[in-house]
């Protein structure tokens, strides 16, 4: 049956604008920090921290550290989800932002293997783990602050704002690296230039902290707190009653994340710009970063338009179209990169960004509408973190191993198509709950299990 919209008090237009700003700026900073590491791992960190392992293995070890942080995302999701469902969404946003900032600046200050030996990669891994904990808990809070503040009929639109943090963060990270390649070319970039984007995070963190501290708590959680309906053990309840939903939601994100990490994980950039002696194609690094920067703009555009499209047509139809466009772009991606020079990188990554935007944008609101209010933070954070482990954690590493094993990028294409297929399967099986009431009163009404979307 169809239930009426939520009856809890709605945010004012001014409050919603503050939430949108906090979501976009905060998630952009989080992902900037995350991507700066991924890009640097593909470009310089292998030589600076893992060189004793040898030419082939040092690159793989550097890529492994990208994936390592994903293994700690579920722990970050468990912690932030638990306290987010019990104490509120807003405090978790501030805490996760600060943790990410401290870890990122720490990497920028870290001495290399040549200076302190084995302690260098050990400390690097610890700081990378902190980044994973932060990323695992931040996304869920940002999504719920946006979606739970949204006016009726516009959840898809409001839900894309935290999603824009990914392309915006990639755009900012690519721009910073391109700038530093110009300011500190050649050996200077390896000696000190790579550190500047990490240290620049201090400025961004201060801005994000000030903005997030002023945002009002989600009206849904305010009602939960007022009625004292917090879940006593939200993590336990998620797995006890909603394990199938967690699995499907995780696969939904994994299908996008594995493919997206060819860009956000820095794999394509590293492959294109590393010297041929190091297994790359030797393209101009600045031009490669600018090409990926352009694709980030395309990604942002299609992420943004996916929101209102999902409000108009539903979450499932928009994402289904996105899966097919994503698959169509995966097939020629490396042909463009290998045969088209920097222009090929631009075309291949921009085409890929279209499908990535349409499959990533609606994920936030679909997640929020899948889980009931009292365990929503835990449910979406855990699903997202597990999806990140399955999809993006070791996607660059797997791609590099496949390339070295088979000597062909077609093996990578097959892997990415399989992951895209898993995303399509999950979106087919997961119930579309567009515009379902999000308030705790509806959760406890008994209607949540029989609710169906209104016909369009």
């Amino acid at each position: 049956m169809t239930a009426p919209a939520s009856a809890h008090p709605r945010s004012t237009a001014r409050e919603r604008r503050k939430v949108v700003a906090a979501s976009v700026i905060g998630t952009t900073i989080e992902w900037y920090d995350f991507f700066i590491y991924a890009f640097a791992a593909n470009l310089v960190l292998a030589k600076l921290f893992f060189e004793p392992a040898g030419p082939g293995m040092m690159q793989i070890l550097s890529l492994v550290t990208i994936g390592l942080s994903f293994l700690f995302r579920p722990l970050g999701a468990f912690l932030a989800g638990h306290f987010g469902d019990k104490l509120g969404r807003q405090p978790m946003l501030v805490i996760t932002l600060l943790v990410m900032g401290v870890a990122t600046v720490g990497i920028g200050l870290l001495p290399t293997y040549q200076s302190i030996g084995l302690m260098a990669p050990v400390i690097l891994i610890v700081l990378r783990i902190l980044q994973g904990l932060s990323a695992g808990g931040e996304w869920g809070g940002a999504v719920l602050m946006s979606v739970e503040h949204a006016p009726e009929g516009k959840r898809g639109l409001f839900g894309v704002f935290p999603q824009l943090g990914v392309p915006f963060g990639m755009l900012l990270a690519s721009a910073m690296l391109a700038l530093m390649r110009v300011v500190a070319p050649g050996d200077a970039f390896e000696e000190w230039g790579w550190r500047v984007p990490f240290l620049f995070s201090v400025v961004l963190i201060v801005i994000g902290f000030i903005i997030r501290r002023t945002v009002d708590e989600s009206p849904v959680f305010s009602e939960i707190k007022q009625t004292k309906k917090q879940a006593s053990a939200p993590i336990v309840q998620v797995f006890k009653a909603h394990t199938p939903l967690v699995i499907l939601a995780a696969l939904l994100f994994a299908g996008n994340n594995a493919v997206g990490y060819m860009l956000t994980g820095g794999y394509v950039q590293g492959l294109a710009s590393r010297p041929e002696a190091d297994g790359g194609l030797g393209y101009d690094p600045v031009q490669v970063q600018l090409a990926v920067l352009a694709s980030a703009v395309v990604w942002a555009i299609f992420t943004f338009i996916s929101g209102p499209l999902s409000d108009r047509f539903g979450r499932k139809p928009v994402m289904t179209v996105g899966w097919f466009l994503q698959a169509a772009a995966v097939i020629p991606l490396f042909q463009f990169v290998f045969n088209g020079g920097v222009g090929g990188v631009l075309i291949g990554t921009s085409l890929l960004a279209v499908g990535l935007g349409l499959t990533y944008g609606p994920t936030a609101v679909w997640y929020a509408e899948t889980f009931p209010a009292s365990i929503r933070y835990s449910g979406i954070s855990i699903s997202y973190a597990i999806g990140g482990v399955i999809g993006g954690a070791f996607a660059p590493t797997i791609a590099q191993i496949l390339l070295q094993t088979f000597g062909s990028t077609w093996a990578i294409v097959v892997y990415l198509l399989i992951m895209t297929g898993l995303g399509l399967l999950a979106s087919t099986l997961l119930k579309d709950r567009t515009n379902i009431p999000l308030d705790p009163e509806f959760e406890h009404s008994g209607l949540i299990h029989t609710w169906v979307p209104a016909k369009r």
Side-chain angles (χ1 to χ4, degrees):
M1 63 182 295
T2 302
S6 169
H8 63 72
R10 284 296 171 187
S11 307
T12 66
R14 181 175 179 274
E15 289 170 343
R16 289 196 291 266
R17 286 194 296 269
K18 288 173 60 178
V19 168
V20 165
S23 295
V24 173
I25 294 173
T27 53
T28 296
I29 294 169
E30 282 268 348
W31 289 112
Y32 166 84
D33 289 350
F34 212 73
F35 294 154
I36 279 294
Y37 182 89
F39 296 166
N42 278 276
L43 295 172
V44 296
L45 297 188
K47 185 175 181 180
L48 296 176
F49 291 91
F50 301 100
E51 188 174 20
M57 184 55 66
M58 73 178 187
Q59 195 62 45
I60 290 177
L61 288 175
S62 183
L63 293 175
V64 166
T65 63
I66 297 176
L68 180 66
S69 69
F70 280 83
L71 298 181
F72 287 85
R73 277 193 182 189
L75 177 58
F78 274 59
L79 293 172
H82 174 81
F83 291 108
D85 280 326
K86 293 182 74 67
L87 303 178
R89 288 52 163 134
Q90 192 266 355
M92 295 301 104
L93 288 181
V94 175
I95 292 171
T96 52
L97 185 70
L98 292 176
V99 171
M100 179 67 84
V102 169
T104 303
V105 174
I107 293 172
L109 296 172
L110 183 63
T112 64
Y113 185 93
Q114 188 175 5
S115 299
I116 61 173
L118 189 60
M119 286 303 297
V122 170
I123 297 173
L124 180 68
I125 289 171
V126 171
L127 293 173
R128 187 61 179 156
I129 289 172
L130 288 177
Q131 284 191 321
L133 291 172
S134 173
E138 194 274 345
W139 182 82
V143 165
L144 293 189
M145 288 293 283
S146 293
V147 174
E148 292 180 347
H149 273 92
E152 298 298 337
K154 292 187 177 181
R155 286 184 199 153
L157 173 61
F158 275 66
V160 300
F161 286 108
Q163 304 298 76
L164 288 171
V166 173
F168 284 173
M170 187 172 74
L171 192 155
L172 184 57
S174 298
M176 278 295 296
L177 285 175
L179 175 63
M180 292 312 302
R181 285 286 196 177
V182 174
V183 174
D187 293 340
F189 183 80
E190 186 176 303
E191 291 171 2
W192 61 270
W194 68 272
R195 297 183 182 274
V196 175
F198 287 89
L199 300 178
F200 178 67
S201 181
V202 171
V203 178
L204 300 178
I205 294 300
V206 171
I207 295 172
F209 176 79
I210 293 172
I211 293 174
R212 285 193 166 179
R213 280 284 296 162
T214 63
V215 173
D216 295 330
E217 181 57 84
S218 156
V220 172
F221 183 79
S222 295
E223 185 178 344
I224 291 174
K225 187 175 181 179
Q226 183 178 2
T227 57
K228 302 186 184 302
K229 292 182 179 179
Q230 293 102 320
S232 58
I235 303 297
V236 174
Q237 292 185 38
V238 166
F239 284 104
K240 183 177 180 180
H242 302 285
T243 297
L245 291 181
V246 170
I247 294 172
L248 289 177
L251 292 176
L252 189 76
F253 177 52
N256 167 276
N257 200 222
V259 177
Y261 246 70
M262 293 300 99
L263 303 183
T264 58
Y267 184 76
V268 170
Q269 299 92 307
L271 180 65
S273 60
R274 282 196 304 272
E276 293 184 26
D278 294 334
L281 299 175
Y283 298 160
D284 181 84
V286 175
Q287 293 183 18
V288 169
Q289 289 296 341
L290 292 176
V292 174
L293 187 151
S295 71
V297 174
V298 176
W299 193 345
I301 291 171
F302 281 89
T303 297
F304 180 77
I305 67 174
S306 72
L309 284 176
S310 75
D311 284 329
R312 174 67 179 85
F313 299 105
R315 321 306 178 203
K316 183 174 295 190
V318 173
M319 191 168 281
T320 299
V321 171
W323 292 125
F324 283 102
L325 291 177
Q326 180 175 299
V330 161
I331 295 171
L333 172 63
F334 292 102
Q335 298 305 304
F336 281 120
V337 172
F338 271 77
N339 301 319
V342 174
V345 175
L346 172 62
I347 295 172
T349 57
S350 295
L351 289 175
L352 191 65
V354 174
L356 288 173
L358 294 178
T359 56
Y360 188 60
T363 301
V365 65
W366 201 345
Y367 269 33
E369 292 175 332
T370 294
F371 295 95
S374 63
I375 58 169
R376 187 170 291 136
Y377 199 140
S378 297
I380 71 172
S381 296
I382 292 168
S383 300
Y384 190 78
I386 294 175
V389 173
I390 298 172
F394 296 104
T397 310
I398 292 171
Q400 184 67 17
I401 291 173
L402 289 173
L403 180 61
Q404 292 182 5
T405 302
F406 294 97
S408 170
T409 55
W410 287 112
I412 304 175
V413 170
V414 171
Y415 160 64
L416 297 179
L417 288 176
I418 291 173
M419 295 306 299
T420 300
L422 287 175
L424 174 61
L425 176 64
S427 64
T428 301
L429 297 177
L430 192 64
K431 185 177 179 181
D432 191 334
R433 300 170 182 265
T434 301
N435 293 328
I436 188 172
L438 298 180
D439 57 287
E441 182 180 350
F442 178 73
E443 174 187 354
H444 297 286
S445 69
L447 300 176
I448 192 169
H449 302 293
T450 57
W451 185 90
V452 294
K455 291 184 178 181
R456 299 179 180 279

